Amino acid sequence: MTTIRIRKAEGTWTVRSGGAVLGETSNALELSEGDLDPVIYFPREDIAMAFLDRTSKTTHCPHKGDASYFSIANKSSVTENAAWSYEDPKEDVAQIKGHLAFVLSASVKVEQV
């Protein structure tokens, strides 16, 4: 059984893509799952959703449920399937509803500031 822990992420977090700040929050959640690196989830209201376009990609996690994906479109590029969200997460991880996490890459950075 994989152990999932969710707690408030300390401090202020930002997500950037293509030089643009997509969001900044002091209300991020940190999700730890087994021995994977922790993932920072940003409240949707703290993200510039105008830069995100829903894609047709979905994935299923037996512990968290079905994830929907978003591409990030900014002036310089489009990063496909760069963010995901559990719109209707399983009860054990209900805190992540209304939050987004990001696929870290050369064009997407999540940092504590």
Side-chain angles (χ1 to χ4, degrees):
M1 176 74 189
T2 300
T3 301
I4 295 178
R5 277 195 356 261
I6 300 171
R7 62 179 180 266
K8 185 175 180 342
E10 293 299 316
T12 300
W13 291 82
T14 63
V15 57
R16 299 173 194 269
S17 177
V21 175
L22 299 178
E24 182 175 311
T25 188
S26 53
N27 295 309
L29 296 175
E30 182 182 86
L31 184 146
S32 301
E33 184 173 355
D35 56 4
L36 300 173
D37 288 338
V39 174
I40 300 298
Y41 280 79
F42 287 78
R44 219 175 252 228
E45 60 267 18
D46 293 337
I47 297 294
M49 292 301 291
F51 290 103
L52 274 64
D53 295 319
R54 186 183 294 272
T55 69
S56 59
K57 179 176 179 176
T58 59
T59 57
H60 178 77
C61 170
H63 310 294
K64 296 186 292 283
D66 294 322
S68 300
Y69 284 75
F70 298 83
S71 292
I72 299 170
N74 56 41
K75 288 189 303 234
S76 56
S77 66
V78 173
T79 307
E80 296 288 333
N81 299 313
W84 73 90
S85 177
Y86 290 93
E87 315 271 312
D88 189 22
K90 296 200 172 203
E91 196 174 311
D92 291 349
V93 294
Q95 303 101 295
I96 63 174
K97 184 177 178 79
H99 288 67
L100 289 160
F102 293 86
V103 179
L104 305 181
S105 68
S107 61
V108 179
K109 305 282 183 231
V110 170
E111 303 167 310
Q112 188 174 17
V113 294

